[in-house]
Amino acid sequence: MSKPQRVPAPGLDLHDEHVYLTRLLERLAEEYSSEQFTAATLADELSVLLVELDRHFLAEEQGGYFAEILESAPRFEKHIQALVEQHQKFLADVKNMQQMCYESMWGLSRFEDLRDSFHKFILEFQQHEHVERQLFQETMNM
């Protein structure tokens, strides 16, 4: 793995980024449970999430948390690599959920699969963010 280079944050620090992503996911969860929910609306919201996650992950990988962690604690390189691999999985998961939305719009009943995938995604993403914060905190406490 090549060592990420530190780059300036594009307006928000990473704490604010995590808060923003958490709120975006909460909004998606609220929308999904709403009586106004439609597969088309959720597909649009997932498109927004996909763009934001891609931007966020790129910032982490090219600077952000990962550069600071590796700079302070190079022994965490394998942990960082695992987190980077999860980024690609998360993007694939969101694309898969979008596909389920489209299939639902075409008349296939994918709502149960979509709900299960969405809840699993949220739990895995929250755990991922927790691990990132723990690694960062541990390196800052050294």
Side-chain angles (χ1 to χ4, degrees):
M1 177 177 143
S2 63
K3 186 173 179 178
Q5 296 182 9
R6 210 181 268 182
V7 295
L12 295 176
D13 68 20
L14 283 172
H15 171 74
D16 291 340
E17 287 256 339
H18 289 141
V19 170
Y20 170 73
L21 286 172
T22 298
R23 288 185 180 148
L24 181 58
L25 287 170
E26 288 170 354
R27 188 179 85 220
L28 278 167
E30 286 174 19
E31 182 164 321
Y32 189 76
S33 354
S34 159
E35 292 181 21
Q36 313 300 329
F37 163 78
T38 66
T41 304
L42 185 58
D44 289 344
E45 294 289 342
L46 288 171
S47 292
V48 171
L49 178 62
L50 189 60
V51 168
E52 293 300 326
L53 284 176
D54 191 41
R55 182 188 53 73
H56 175 72
F57 293 157
L58 187 61
E60 284 184 337
E61 292 168 15
Q62 293 183 349
Y65 276 162
F66 297 164
E68 291 182 45
I69 292 169
L70 288 174
E71 194 174 287
S72 299
R75 71 180 184 276
F76 288 141
E77 184 173 358
K78 287 184 181 179
H79 294 277
I80 297 299
Q81 182 61 40
L83 291 169
V84 168
E85 289 170 10
Q86 279 187 315
H87 288 173
Q88 296 310 308
K89 179 193 177 304
F90 289 138
L91 295 172
D93 289 347
V94 173
K95 289 176 186 175
N96 187 46
M97 288 185 286
Q98 280 182 307
Q99 183 62 35
M100 285 184 221
C101 288
Y102 299 139
E103 290 171 4
S104 295
M105 290 170 10
W106 298 326
L108 299 173
S109 181
R110 297 299 310 264
F111 289 112
E112 291 299 317
D113 294 335
L114 183 56
R115 180 175 35 252
D116 292 344
S117 294
F118 185 71
H119 289 295
K120 182 180 176 192
F121 171 82
I122 288 178
L123 291 174
E124 289 176 354
F125 185 75
Q126 288 171 338
Q127 177 61 29
H128 171 89
E129 294 294 300
H130 177 73
V131 169
E132 282 183 357
R133 287 189 301 272
Q134 277 185 314
L135 283 175
F136 185 74
Q137 192 64 40
E138 188 172 332
T139 60
M140 294 302 110
N141 289 334
M142 293 171 57

